Amino acid sequence: MPRLQPPMSTDNHARLEGRRALISNRGRITQSFFVPGGEERPNFEVSIERTSRGDMDGKYIYEIKLDLDGFSLGERALPPGMESIEVTKRLPAKVVAERAALLDAYIPDHLGFDPTPADIVKARPRQPKRMQKDLRYNTTIFSGDDRAVFRDTSYPWSAFGRCETNFGPFSGVMIGPRHLLTCNHGVDWTPPPGYAADWLTFTPAYFDGTAPFGSTYATHVYWVKKDNNDGFSNGDEGQYDYVVLVLNDRIGDRTGWLGTRRYTDAWDPLAAWWHIGYPQDLTSLERPTFQSWFTVNGDDNQPDTHEAIYHLADVFPGQSGGPIFGFWNGDVGPRAVAVQSWQNSTTNGASGGGDLVDLAIRARSDHP
């Protein structure tokens, strides 16, 4: 197997040049939500009004009000569940090479490109700075907290977002026009009859309840081995804690997407990696954070096809599913190699490998 080109170092990345958007960013936003009703189609009215909140460089804030009549009040409705595709055989190397374009990143012309998040927000930590010795805290923050809160919506920061299932919110990233990479353990594998997995919604660039690119839901999930949903990473679950989901609409055309790449243990010494997620402690799952230029260490006793990848970046519950990613010379945008999976008192664990690339190719080939 040919040696894979390593990701960029911080010095090379510093030489990357951003760019402004090439065309206007005016476009369509799709927002899906679900309500219960009877057999007859309910009536609805839509109104759009400009609010009094200030004019920002010629841009205004609009209230879109949807009045619905004929729905069942006091009842709940959830998104539909998902079809499930188990991947049991790895793709031949020839097929991976032939479909390499499906692993590339994409920058929309209506978004600018910024190599580092520019819109940094002051963090308001929810976790006490001084820990009491007689209390236990569910966190793994090493030697100070290096996470930074941001709200940038330029590429590639537009492609990261917040997932939600009935287990609660967690993190994910777009890797295709309608293809989402996130953690396996965030999926509810005990769905109602008729579905293989329960519902999942995704909001790219989610920040304090806002959805600048709209939101959508998943229809299919590609996986290698299901998590048992017990809340722990048991046995070999840390080697397979990734899924690729097909979304209901091509929201990636608005956000752009990251590429994917197989991780190799030859990259273990490199301080080349980034992580983005929605932590519970620092932002109450409402704002994304990033951390950059840390090292990772693939498990030497596990194959590159599916392995646990250890690191000491700062993580907290909610950041699960957020990618470990890097930048490569000659690539359009960054590529994800793993997703955040678990943490304990001594290390944090991501999950990745060649299987992750296979899932991306299969999902994008089956559902362009």
Side-chain angles (χ1 to χ4, degrees), residues 184-198:
N184 191 317
H185 73 258
V187 175
D188 183 357
W189 296 107
T190 58
Y195 297 105
D198 214 342

Side-chain angles (χ1 to χ4, degrees), residues 15-215:
R15 291 193 285 271
L16 282 178
E17 294 185 4
R19 66 156 175 80
R20 293 179 177 271
L22 303 179
I23 61 175
S24 169
N25 66 347
R26 301 292 170 86
R28 174 177 295 182
I29 287 181
T30 302
Q31 188 86 29
S32 296
F33 65 98
F34 301 85
V35 291
E39 183 176 350
E40 295 184 4
R41 183 176 179 179
N43 299 316
F44 65 93
E45 294 181 0
V46 179
S47 62
I48 302 177
E49 295 183 7
R50 195 167 74 194
T51 71
S52 59
R53 189 154 182 167
D55 170 14
M56 300 177 297
D57 298 326
K59 298 180 178 65
Y60 298 89
I61 305 297
Y62 291 87
E63 177 189 9
I64 301 176
K65 189 174 182 180
L66 182 60
D67 285 318
L68 306 170
D69 186 20
F71 291 91
S72 303
L73 302 180
E75 297 181 10
R76 304 183 191 279
L78 296 173
M82 295 180 279
E83 295 185 29
S84 170
I85 299 90
E86 179 183 10
V87 176
T88 58
K89 293 183 179 180
R90 299 209 65 226
L91 291 173
K94 181 180 179 182
V95 174
V96 174
E98 290 172 348
R99 302 184 187 180
L102 297 178
L103 306 178
D104 290 341
Y106 166 69
I107 307 177
D109 288 345
H110 58 261
L111 293 182
F113 168 68
D114 200 328
T116 303
D119 196 354
I120 305 299
V121 180
K122 183 178 179 180
R124 297 191 176 110
R126 272 68 170 180
Q127 189 74 13
K129 292 183 177 180
R130 292 185 179 181
M131 304 284 189
Q132 298 182 39
K133 293 182 179 180
D134 57 342
L135 296 179
R136 294 181 179 180
Y137 297 86
N138 186 14
T139 179
T140 311
I141 308 299
F142 298 101
S143 301
D145 193 339
D146 296 320
R147 296 170 297 174
V149 183
F150 71 97
R151 59 185 172 195
D152 200 333
T153 56
S154 64
Y155 180 88
W157 323 113
S158 51
F160 302 87
R162 195 177 86 155
C163 305
E164 191 161 358
T165 67
N166 51 28
F167 294 150
F170 52 101
S171 308
V173 66
M174 295 298 297
I175 59 166
R178 52 186 299 211
H179 308 90
L180 171 70
L181 173 66
T182 188
C183 57
N184 191 317
H185 73 258
V187 175
D188 183 357
W189 296 107
T190 58
Y195 297 105
D198 214 342
W199 62 273
L200 181 147
T201 61
F202 180 67
T203 306
Y206 178 96
F207 188 96
D208 284 0
T210 61
F213 298 99
S215 66

